[in-house]
Amino acid sequence: MNSLALPDVASQTRAPQDIALEWVGMQNIALPVVLADQRIAAFADAGVSLDDPATRGIHMSRLYLALECLEDRPLTPGLLKHVLGHFLATHAGLSKRAFLAVRGELLLKRPALVSPLSGWKSYPFEVSARLDAKGLRIELKLDVDYSSTCPCSAALARQVIQQRFAEDFAGRPLQRAELLAWLGSERGIAATPHSQRSVASLRIRLAADQGELPLPALLDTAEDSLATPVQTAVKRGDEQAFALANGQNPMFCEDAARRLHRALSGFDGIRAFHVRVVHAESLHAHDAVAQSAWNWSQECC
């Protein structure tokens, strides 16, 4: 039996194609990556432009096989550039631009506020990279969950407590023990401000000379600026400390967006950023949203 060469349909021409394509490739490719000293189950989108209008298709298997080096080496800008360069080298004459996006969830261990406990928090992320004649461009997407206490409801709650105090102690001399007992009773907390689970979505474009992907440092910076990130393992002392932090840290969505803007403006290695915060209101059925940006354009990786 004679062996026959396997056909390569993608390289065959039929009718004139005459249309170049901006992006051709695959999405949701399952693969492990190494990031922040941990192995992460991730998904990747990989593609190249198809600039030769006479060519029917690209070689997707070459893109897929090029991703193998992501399994054992830390994910860095240098590694991303290497993979994208391989995409283009294996599509010489066909493609001028290469794209790669890797997304997953980064796990970081976080200490409790006052007790010796700690627990793991999950942070969704995406790293998008593009290589073309302009060079390498990398964009990070991160989500940070936090608690936000409404300043308006806090002021209204304080007013109700003042009114209750005036009613209960009208015309009476104040006794320390009685006042202390009143403050610890349901009468002394006649109203409470409402808080909401909130999320900050960050898009960060890195400077071209970055040697690392600073995801943990960016997450720390964002949480420190917001001051009330959601917690993991807690005891009652931690819960009380969290209540205290919320009470001392009321903020509208506008406040949160401005805090993040200031924090990211001072972070080295950022070329541009976009911030979007959403406060999932407990008072309303709708959400409160604020956005801020620096040096941002619609061009993306």
Side-chain angles (χ1 to χ4, degrees):
M1 181 175 179
N2 295 328
S3 61
L4 299 176
L6 299 176
D8 183 0
V9 178
S11 65
Q12 297 174 1
T13 58
R14 299 169 64 193
Q17 306 298 317
D18 73 13
I19 297 176
L21 299 176
E22 181 181 356
W23 193 96
V24 183
M26 298 160 287
Q27 66 179 17
N28 292 327
I29 304 167
L31 80 162
V33 298
V34 180
L35 185 60
D37 298 323
Q38 59 184 269
R39 198 172 181 84
I40 296 172
F43 292 90
D45 302 340
V48 292
S49 60
L50 182 52
D51 299 295
D52 182 2
T55 299
R56 188 176 182 186
I58 69 165
H59 305 281
M60 293 196 185
S61 62
R62 298 177 185 178
L63 302 183
Y64 186 94
L65 294 174
L67 298 176
E68 288 184 354
C69 66
L70 298 178
E71 299 178 11
D72 302 312
R73 296 164 59 184
L75 193 63
T76 64
L79 180 58
L80 291 169
K81 186 175 183 180
H82 170 77
V83 173
L84 292 170
H86 189 74
F87 285 2
L88 293 178
T90 56
H91 288 80
L94 301 181
S95 306
K96 298 178 181 178
R97 299 179 301 280
F99 313 89
L100 177 62
V102 178
R103 58 188 167 274
E105 294 191 0
L106 181 65
L107 283 172
L108 296 179
K109 200 163 193 179
R110 297 303 201 190
L113 292 175
V114 293
S115 76
L117 298 179
S118 62
W120 293 94
K121 286 177 66 175
S122 176
Y123 298 91
F125 74 88
E126 181 174 318
V127 180
S128 300
R130 171 176 176 159
L131 183 64
D132 56 22
K134 297 179 181 179
L136 177 69
R137 278 163 284 178
I138 297 179
E139 180 176 303
L140 308 179
K141 296 180 182 179
L142 301 169
D143 285 344
V144 180
D145 291 332
Y146 62 102
S147 175
S148 58
T149 297
C150 173
C152 182
S153 72
L156 294 171
R158 289 194 298 268
Q159 185 184 53
V160 170
I161 294 171
Q162 285 178 316
Q163 292 171 344
R164 180 66 59 82
F165 177 84
E167 293 170 1
D168 289 358
F169 290 91
R172 297 169 51 188
L174 295 179
Q175 300 294 327
R176 183 179 185 277
E178 184 182 12
L179 179 57
L180 191 62
W182 184 88
L183 289 171
S185 69
E186 292 184 1
R187 295 287 295 178
I189 190 169
T192 59
H194 68 263
S195 297
Q196 50 255 328
R197 173 80 67 83
S198 306
V199 60
S201 297
L202 313 178
R203 295 179 65 181
I204 311 291
R205 290 184 185 152
L206 297 181
D209 59 351
Q210 289 301 292
E212 303 293 335
L213 298 176
L215 270 69
L218 283 168
L219 291 167
D220 289 344
T221 297
E223 290 191 338
D224 289 345
S225 70
L226 294 167
T228 47
V230 297
Q231 301 297 297
T232 58
V234 296
K235 290 187 174 182
R236 281 177 293 177
D238 301 305
E239 189 171 355
Q240 185 181 60
F242 190 67
L244 178 63
N246 270 280
Q248 296 177 337
N249 186 44
M251 55 181 159
F252 294 121
C253 60
E254 297 93 332
D255 299 319
R258 287 174 175 139
R259 290 186 188 189
L260 289 165
H261 187 113
R262 286 190 290 267
L264 294 176
S265 295
F267 196 98
D268 290 336
I270 290 180
R271 182 167 63 90
F273 63 77
H274 183 278
V275 172
R276 176 182 173 88
V277 299
V278 177
H279 288 190
E281 295 245 5
S282 58
L283 173 63
H284 302 290
H286 54 264
D287 299 334
V289 181
Q291 295 186 170
S292 181
W294 173 74
N295 202 30
W296 192 261
S297 67
Q298 293 303 311
E299 181 187 4
C300 64
C301 292

